[in-house]
């Protein structure tokens, strides 16, 4: 199910409609030791009519928070640059979490 949904989301990016990265915020909490292993967590924060907000965190193996923030993606019609409703597959994937 998840793999099928991921394929549908990829197909939503076409020459006519695509996501636009409208805003990004990143808060650096502490430097990451080198060498080190980190995990990037990505979660849906908000789903709107034409946009979605994703929160992200970079954490170490021991759970130490190195950075966090969020990004806003707006789905647009490429020719006009105007916002359009989120594709159903994108909305379904975002609402899964």
């Amino acid at each position: 199910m998840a793999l099928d949904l991921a394929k549908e989301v990829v197909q939503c990016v076409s020459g006519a409609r695509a996501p636009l990265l409208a805003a990004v915020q990143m808060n650096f909490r502490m430097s990451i030791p080198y060498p080190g292993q980190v995990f990037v967590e990505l979660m849906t924060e908000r789903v709107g009519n034409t946009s979605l907000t994703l929160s992200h965190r970079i954490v170490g193996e021991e759970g130490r928070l190195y950075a966090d923030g969020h990004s806003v993606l707006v789905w647009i019609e490429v020719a006009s640059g105007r916002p359009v409703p989120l594709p159903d597959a994108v909305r379904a994937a975002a609402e899964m979490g």
Side-chain angles (χ1 to χ4, degrees), residues 34-96:
Y34 179 84
Q37 184 173 6
V38 297
F39 301 92
V40 178
E41 301 171 347
L42 184 66
M43 290 104 16
T44 302
E45 191 173 301
R46 180 185 168 281
V47 180
N49 293 324
T50 62
S51 66
L52 58 101
T53 303
L54 302 173
S55 62
H56 48 268
R57 294 169 27 103
I58 301 174
V59 297
E61 291 179 282
E62 67 291 335
R64 181 171 286 139
L65 178 64
Y66 294 113
D68 61 358
H70 66 268
S71 55
V72 178
L73 298 166
V74 178
W75 220 265
I76 63 163
E77 182 178 291
V78 175
S80 68
R82 303 284 303 157
V84 294
L86 290 175
D88 291 339
V90 172
R91 179 175 299 283
E95 289 174 348
M96 288 176 64

